C-alpha cells in the first residue's frame, strides 16, 4: 500500500501522523497507570502518618524538633529522587522502559514493607530513625526512576492529538495513590481504634503494601515495550551516553533548565501545598484530629481528581503553557486568603481568639533562639524568651514578636490584655528551674483558655463542607499545574534522551523544591511564630516560576515526538 502524502499524512493540527493507539495499547496504558498508583501509595504513606511517626521514631527530642525531623525524614525520600532519575533514566534510555519499571517497583515495595516492621526509637534507640531515613532514601531512588518512565511510556503510545489526555491518567496516579493510602489508613483506624492505631496499627498500611507489590509486579510483567523506543532500538539509534547528551550539551541542558525553573518548580510547590502542607496544617497547626483530617482530604481528592484529566484534555486544544501558568498565578494570589479561611472554618475558636486576644512575646532578641534544634539537644530552657516561645510552639499558638533590647534574659507574654512574665531561668538550677518553667506553663495555659484559645479543634465546630470546599480549590490548582506537565516534558526532548532529560528536572523540582516544602515551611513558622508565615515559600517559588515560564517556556502541544 502506498503511504499517504500531503494533508492525509497530517494530524488534525498539522502534525505528522502518529500511530493510533490500539485497544490493546490502551489496556497497557491503563496497566502502567495502575502500577504507578501503587508506587505512589507506598511513597506517601509516610506523609500521612508523619505525626505518629514523630512519636515512634523521634521521641528522643523535644516535640517541635521531633515533628520537623519527621518532616525532614519525609523529605529525605525526595532528596534522592534526582539521583534515581539519573540512574534509572539512563537505564530506560539504553535498555528500555519496561524493564526499568520492574526494578523500581521491586525496590519501592521492599522498602515500604520494611518500614512496617522497623522497631521504634523506644526499642533500638537512635538506630531506628537512621534506618527509617535509609528506607525513605530507597523509596526516593525507586520513585526517581518511576515517573519519567511511566510518562514517557504512555506518551509514546498516544496519538499526537491526545498526548495531554493520555498522560493525564499518569498525572492522576499520584493523587490516586494518596487517596488509596488515605482509605487504607482511615479503614485501619476505624477497625483497630485510635489508641491501637497510634501504638501498632499504623504499621498495617505499610505491611499491606506487600500485597500491592505482588499485584503491581504482575501488571508490569504484562507490558509491551514502547513502540517508539522499540523502533529506535531496531534502527540502532539509541543513545550510548544519554546523560552526557542530555546534560553535557548546552542545547539540551538549556531546555532542561527552562523546564525546571519555568514549569516544574512552581508545579511542585503547588502540588505539595495543596495535598500535603494543607494536611499537616490542619492536623498540626489547627488541632483537627488525624482521622477527621484524613477524611476531609480524601473527600477533596475524590472531587478534584477528575480535573487532572479535564486539564490534560484541554491542554491538547489550547496548549500546555497557559493552563500551567494560570494555576501558578492563582495559587500565588490566593494562598493567604484560602489558608486564613481554612483556620476560620476548621478551628473557629482559635481564629476568633487570635482576633480578640492576640499573643505577643516581648523579649531581647539577643536572648531568643529559633525554635528548631538540628541536633535535638536544646531544651529551650535557659532564657525566658526560649521558654515562652517553646511553650507557644508546642501549643500551636501564633504570636508576634516585640523586640526589647537590653531587657535581659526574661520575657513577657501578652495574651489579649493579660501579661505573664517569665524571669531568667538561667539563675535557677535543677528542680527549681523545672518548677519555675512548669508554673509559667500552667499560668499561660490558664490564660490561653480564658482568652478562648482551644487546646484542640472542637470536632462539632469544624465546618466540614467549607473545609472540603477550600481543600478542593487547593487540589484544583494542583490539577491545573500537574495535569498537562507530563505531556509538556515529554514533548520538550528527543526520544533518544527523553527518559533521562525529562526525569531529572521533574525530580529536582518535585524532590527538592516540593518535597522539602513541609520541612521548610514549618521551620519558617517555628522561626517567626506566625502559623501562616511558611506560605511565603510556595508563593515565592510559584510566582518566580510564573515569570520565567511566561518569558522562556515554549509551547509544545503541536510537536511530533517520534524523532
Amino acid at each position: 500500500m502506498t503511504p499517504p502524502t500531503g494533508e492525509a499524512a497530517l494530524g488534525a493540527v498539522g502534525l505528522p501522523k502518529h500511530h493510533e493507539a490500539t485497544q490493546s495499547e490502551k489496556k497497557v496504558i491503563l496497566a502502567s497507570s495502575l502500577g504507578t498508583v501503587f508506587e505512589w501509595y507506598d511513597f506517601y504513606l509516610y506523609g500521612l502518618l508523619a505525626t505518629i511517626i514523630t512519636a515512634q521514631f523521634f521521641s528522643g527530642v523535644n516535640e517541635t524538633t521531633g515533628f520537623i525531623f519527621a518532616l525532614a525524614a519525609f523529605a529525605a525520600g525526595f532528596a534522592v529522587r534526582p539521583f534515581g532519575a539519573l540512574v534509572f533514566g539512563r537505564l530506560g534510555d539504553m535498555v528500555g522502559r519496561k524493564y526499568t519499571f520492574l526494578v523500581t517497583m521491586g525496590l519501592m515495595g521492599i522498602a515500604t514493607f520494611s518500614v512496617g516492621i522497623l522497631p521504634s526509637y523506644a526499642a533500638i534507640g537512635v538506630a531506628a530513625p537512621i534506618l527509617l531515613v535509609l528506607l525513605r532514601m530507597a523509596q526516593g531512588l525507586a520513585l526517581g526512576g518511576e515517573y519519567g518512565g511511566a510518562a514517557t511510556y504512555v506518551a509514546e503510545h498516544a496519538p499526537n492529538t491526545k498526548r495531554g489526555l493520555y498522560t493525564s491518567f499518569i498525572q492522576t496516579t499520584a493523587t490516586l495513590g494518596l487517596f488509596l493510602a488515605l482509605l487504607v489508613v482511615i479503614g485501619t483506624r476505624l477497625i483497630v481504634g485510635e489508641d491501637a492505631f497510634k501504638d501498632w496499627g499504623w504499621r498495617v498500611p505499610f505491611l499491606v503494601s506487600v500485597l500491592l507489590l505482588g499485584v503491581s509486579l504482575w501488571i508490569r510483567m504484562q507490558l509491551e515495550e514502547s513502540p517508539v523506543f522499540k523502533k529506535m532500538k531496531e534502527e540502532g539509534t539509541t543513545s550510548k551516553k544519554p546523560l552526557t547528551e542530555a546534560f553535557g550539551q548546552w542545547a539540551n541542558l538549556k531546555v532542561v533548565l527552562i523546564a525546571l525553573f519555568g514549569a516544574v518548580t512552581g508545579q511542585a510547590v503547588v502540588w505539595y501545598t495543596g495535598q500535603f502542607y494543607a494536611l499537616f496544617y490542619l492536623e498540626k497547626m489547627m488541632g483537627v484530629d488525624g482521622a477527621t483530617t484524613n477524611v476531609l482530604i480524601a473527600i477533596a481528592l475524590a472531587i478534584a481528581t477528575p480535573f487532572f484529566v479535564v486539564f490534560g484534555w484541554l491542554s491538547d486544544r489550547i496548549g500546555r503553557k497557559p493552563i500551567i501558568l494560570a494555576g501558578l498565578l492563582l495559587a500565588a494570589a490566593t494562598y493567604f486568603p484560602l489558608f486564613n479561611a481554612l483556620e476560620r472554618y476548621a478551628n473557629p475558636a482559635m481564629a476568633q481568639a487570635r482576633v480578640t486576644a492576640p499573643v505577643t512575646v516581648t523579649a531581647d532578641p539577643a536572648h531568643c533562639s529559633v525554635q528548631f534544634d538540628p541536633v535535638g539537644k536544646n531544651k529551650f530552657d535557659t532564657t525566658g524568651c526560649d521558654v515562652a516561645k517553646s511553650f507557644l510552639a508546642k501549643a500551636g499558638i501564633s504570636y508576634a514578636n516585640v523586640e526589647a533590647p537590653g531587657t535581659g534574659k526574661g520575657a513577657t507574654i501578652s495574651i489579649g490584655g493579660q501579661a505573664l512574665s517569665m524571669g531568667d531561668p538561667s539563675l535557677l538550677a535543677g528542680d527549681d528551674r523545672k518548677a519555675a518553667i512548669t508554673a509559667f506553663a500552667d499560668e499561660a495555659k490558664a490564660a490561653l483558655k480564658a482568652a478562648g484559645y482551644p487546646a484542640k479543634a472542637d470536632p462539632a465546630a469544624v465546618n466540614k463542607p467549607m473545609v472540603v470546599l477550600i481543600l478542593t480549590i487547593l487540589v484544583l490548582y494542583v490539577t491545573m499545574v500537574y495535569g498537562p506537565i507530563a505531556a509538556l516534558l515529554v514533548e520538550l526532548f528527543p526520544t533518544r534522551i527523553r527518559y533521562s532529560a525529562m526525569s531529572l528536572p521533574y525530580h529536582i523540582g518535585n524532590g527538592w523544591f516540593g518535597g522539602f516544602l513541609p520541612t521548610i515551611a514549618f521551620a519558617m513558622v517555628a522561626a517567626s511564630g506566625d502559623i501562616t508565615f511558611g506560605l511565603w515559600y510556595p508563593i515565592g517559588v510559584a510566582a518566580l516560576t510564573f515569570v520565567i515560564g511566561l518569558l522562556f517556556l515554549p509551547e509544545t502541544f503541536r510537536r511530533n515526538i517520534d524523532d
Side-chain angles (χ1 to χ4, degrees):
M1 175 183 270
T2 304
T5 58
E7 290 189 7
L10 299 179
V13 291
L15 291 172
K17 182 68 174 178
H18 193 42
H19 75 279
E20 289 289 343
T22 65
Q23 190 64 31
S24 64
E25 287 173 340
K26 290 178 181 178
K27 290 180 181 178
V28 167
I29 292 170
L30 176 62
S32 176
S33 300
L34 189 58
T36 307
V37 168
F38 293 152
E39 286 220 50
W40 283 111
Y41 166 88
D42 288 349
F43 194 72
Y44 284 131
L45 272 181
Y46 184 101
L48 294 178
L49 301 174
T51 301
I52 291 174
I53 285 174
T54 301
Q56 292 288 334
F57 294 98
F58 299 95
S59 56
V61 298
N62 73 73
E63 185 178 343
T64 301
T65 297
F67 187 70
I68 296 177
F69 271 176
L71 293 179
F74 175 67
F78 294 90
V80 300
R81 278 170 57 175
F83 302 103
L86 291 174
V87 172
F88 294 112
R90 180 175 180 273
L91 286 176
D93 281 328
M94 296 180 68
V95 178
R97 302 5 177 170
K98 173 182 175 179
Y99 296 105
T100 308
F101 279 162
L102 297 176
V103 176
T104 60
M105 176 63 70
L107 180 59
M108 174 68 80
I110 292 170
T112 303
F113 179 80
S114 298
V115 174
I117 60 174
L118 186 64
S120 67
Y121 185 95
I124 61 173
V126 72
I130 292 174
L131 290 172
L132 179 67
V133 170
L134 290 175
L135 290 173
R136 284 294 298 169
M137 293 173 71
Q139 288 182 316
L141 286 172
L143 195 59
E146 164 64 22
Y147 176 83
T152 299
Y153 180 80
V154 171
E156 290 176 350
H157 276 86
N160 268 338
T161 57
K162 295 183 179 179
R163 269 196 304 273
L165 174 63
Y166 276 55
T167 56
S168 68
F169 288 98
I170 287 294
Q171 301 308 91
T172 67
T173 60
T175 298
L176 290 174
L178 174 57
F179 185 72
L180 178 62
L182 277 166
L183 291 181
V184 175
V185 168
I186 292 168
T188 306
R189 272 183 147 131
L190 291 175
I191 292 170
V192 305
E194 193 65 20
D195 290 339
F197 185 82
K198 290 178 180 179
D199 183 27
W200 58 268
W202 65 270
R203 296 181 181 274
V204 173
F206 288 97
L207 299 176
V208 166
S209 68
V210 74
L211 301 176
L212 300 181
L213 171 63
V215 173
S216 301
L217 286 174
W218 179 82
I219 289 173
R220 289 288 165 86
M221 292 295 290
Q222 313 307 310
L223 297 178
E224 297 292 335
E225 187 53 85
S226 154
V228 177
F229 181 85
K230 193 185 301 183
K231 180 174 180 290
M232 186 175 64
K233 197 161 188 177
E234 289 170 354
E235 295 172 349
T237 57
T238 56
S239 177
K240 304 301 181 187
K241 297 181 178 180
L243 298 184
T244 301
E245 191 173 338
F247 311 117
Q249 298 177 10
W250 173 244
N252 291 326
L253 180 59
K254 179 174 67 174
V255 179
V256 169
L257 294 174
I258 291 172
L260 175 60
F261 295 109
V264 180
T265 53
Q267 166 261 302
V269 297
V270 171
W271 206 103
Y272 288 98
T273 300
Q275 296 194 173
F276 275 101
Y277 188 70
L279 184 149
F280 295 146
Y281 189 85
L282 278 175
E283 187 172 353
K284 185 67 178 175
M285 307 306 297
M286 293 297 97
V288 180
D289 70 271
T292 301
T293 296
N294 288 345
V295 171
L296 296 176
I297 291 283
I299 294 171
L301 292 177
I303 295 170
T305 294
F307 285 89
F308 285 108
V309 178
V310 171
F311 287 118
W313 168 83
L314 186 62
S315 75
D316 285 326
R317 283 147 181 79
I318 68 173
R320 326 294 186 206
K321 181 175 176 177
I323 298 172
I324 293 171
L325 294 187
L328 294 176
L329 188 61
L330 284 170
T334 62
Y335 271 166
F336 272 117
L338 284 173
F339 275 83
N340 285 331
L342 198 59
E343 179 185 16
R344 289 198 304 275
Y345 293 114
N347 195 337
M350 179 180 288
Q352 180 64 26
R354 287 183 65 192
V355 173
T356 58
V359 178
T360 61
V361 176
T362 303
D364 185 344
H367 298 296
C368 296
S369 303
V370 174
Q371 295 295 302
F372 174 51
D373 174 22
V375 297
K377 298 299 182 183
N378 194 340
K379 297 182 179 179
F380 301 111
D381 64 352
T382 58
T383 72
C385 180
D386 283 356
V387 170
K389 289 187 175 183
S390 179
F391 167 79
L392 293 171
K394 290 176 182 177
I397 303 298
S398 186
Y399 60 88
N401 291 288
V402 178
E403 296 186 358
T407 55
K409 293 185 177 182
T412 300
I413 292 182
S414 175
I415 303 172
Q418 184 176 358
L420 307 175
S421 295
M422 177 66 211
D424 181 0
S426 65
L427 299 176
L428 304 172
D431 291 341
D432 290 338
R433 181 187 295 186
K434 291 180 182 178
I437 293 173
T438 299
F440 171 80
D442 290 342
E443 188 179 4
K445 285 177 185 177
L448 287 170
K449 183 177 180 180
Y453 283 92
K456 295 287 183 181
D458 179 1
V462 176
N463 188 329
K464 295 179 177 65
M466 288 304 299
V467 170
V468 168
L469 175 62
I470 295 166
L471 294 175
T472 301
I473 293 171
L474 292 173
V475 180
L476 284 175
Y477 294 163
V478 175
T479 65
M480 292 181 71
V481 299
Y482 198 58
I485 205 156
L488 171 77
L489 293 174
V490 166
E491 291 160 349
L492 282 172
F493 302 103
T495 304
R496 58 191 281 112
I497 61 168
R498 182 170 293 137
Y499 199 148
S500 302
M502 73 163 288
S503 292
L504 187 64
Y506 176 84
H507 286 293
I508 289 177
N510 283 273
W512 293 355
F513 287 86
F516 281 95
L517 184 147
T519 308
I520 293 171
F522 275 102
M524 291 170 67
V525 169
S528 67
D530 182 353
I531 61 173
T532 62
F533 188 73
L535 291 172
W536 281 114
Y537 173 70
I539 288 172
V541 174
L544 183 61
T545 304
F546 172 82
V547 173
I548 296 173
L550 186 66
L551 296 176
F552 301 107
L553 186 68
E555 183 52 76
T556 62
F557 79 117
R558 295 179 183 273
R559 290 185 179 181
N560 175 41
I561 67 166
D562 285 348
D563 300 327

